[in-house]
Amino acid sequence: QMHGAHAGSEEYNQRGIGICLIGNFEESRPSAAQLSAIKRLVAALKRDYRIPADRIIGHKDVKATACPGKNFPFA
């Protein structure tokens, strides 16, 4: 794994998988294509790496940020 700098936490940068969608989801919603792609990606990562659902967290759960934004349907 490559060291990341996305999460704002050394632990998560070293062990986590960061997923980025382009857009400001405080102002707008992700597109249908973005939602479809992220659902497929997260399902594949959960399956391939045996990641339990309760380990899927938002950026704001690690760092003081609004990300992924109020218009992102995280559930």
Side-chain angles (χ1 to χ4, degrees):
Q1 171 171 321
M2 300 297 295
H3 175 80
H6 54 275
S9 162
E10 188 68 22
E11 177 184 357
Y12 287 97
N13 286 342
Q14 288 291 325
R15 298 187 181 120
I17 300 170
I19 300 172
C20 177
L21 293 181
I22 302 302
N24 181 342
F25 305 126
E26 282 291 300
E27 296 179 1
S28 62
R29 294 184 54 79
S31 70
Q34 286 177 306
L35 290 175
S36 177
I38 199 165
K39 286 177 186 178
R40 288 191 320 271
L41 175 59
V42 170
L45 291 169
K46 284 174 59 180
R47 179 190 66 239
D48 294 351
Y49 294 100
R50 297 190 236 21
I51 301 170
D54 67 343
R55 301 289 289 177
I56 309 298
I57 60 173
H59 193 188
K60 67 182 178 183
D61 298 318
V62 178
K63 182 178 180 177
T65 179
C67 183
K70 66 184 177 191
N71 294 307
F72 185 83
F74 194 80

